[in-house]
Amino acid sequence: MERITTEEAFREAIQADGVTVAVFKATWCKDCHFIEPFMPDVEAAYGGRIRFLEIDRDEMADLCSELNILGIPSFIAFRNGAELVRFVSKLRKDRAEIEQFLDRALQVSEALAK
């Protein structure tokens, strides 16, 4: 996962023509640590179709406020600078739920491209 540390880098990254998923996390977040063991496999499964960004909510508080990121981890899919879909819930996210979200992001992206 590509770590983003500036708003400029974030805004540039989400301008891509393909699907870019920003994962908002924090070092103190237990649910964020829960997803860490399986996320590399998830990234590999979607390799070439989705670009993954990691953003520390505490390091980029202004951006998170702008994007209305309240719970973490939060996932937002972008394409060409526009938000496609987001996955936010107060419950712990498991691998199957994350993969369903990623599949949905790809579907929305394809539908908009037509």
Side-chain angles (χ1 to χ4, degrees):
M1 203 172 302
E2 182 182 344
R3 188 161 162 73
I4 298 292
T5 58
T6 68
E7 285 189 37
E8 180 183 345
F10 169 77
R11 295 190 194 291
E12 183 178 320
I14 66 169
Q15 292 301 320
D17 186 42
V19 176
T20 300
V21 171
V23 182
F24 296 86
K25 302 163 79 177
T27 55
W28 50 264
C29 169
K30 290 182 179 166
D31 290 343
C32 299
H33 291 292
F34 175 78
I35 69 172
E36 284 178 1
F38 61 78
M39 280 307 293
D41 291 338
V42 170
E43 287 180 69
Y46 289 86
R49 297 183 293 158
I50 296 177
R51 177 182 179 192
F52 290 88
L53 310 176
E54 178 180 336
I55 297 157
D56 186 306
R57 193 198 89 58
D58 294 337
E59 291 176 7
M60 300 192 52
D62 290 344
L63 175 66
C64 290
S65 177
E66 175 188 325
L67 294 172
N68 203 28
I69 302 297
L70 302 174
I72 51 173
S74 289
F75 297 75
I76 304 179
F78 296 91
R79 181 172 179 210
N80 296 326
E83 181 177 327
L84 297 173
V85 63
R86 63 173 59 200
F87 179 30
V88 180
S89 75
K90 62 183 178 180
L91 303 175
R92 175 173 278 176
K93 296 156 187 69
D94 64 29
R95 181 176 180 156
E97 291 172 319
I98 292 169
E99 289 177 342
Q100 287 172 352
F101 162 75
L102 297 172
D103 291 340
R104 180 74 179 130
L106 290 169
Q107 290 169 353
V108 169
S109 177
E110 289 172 18
L112 291 173
K114 294 179 181 178

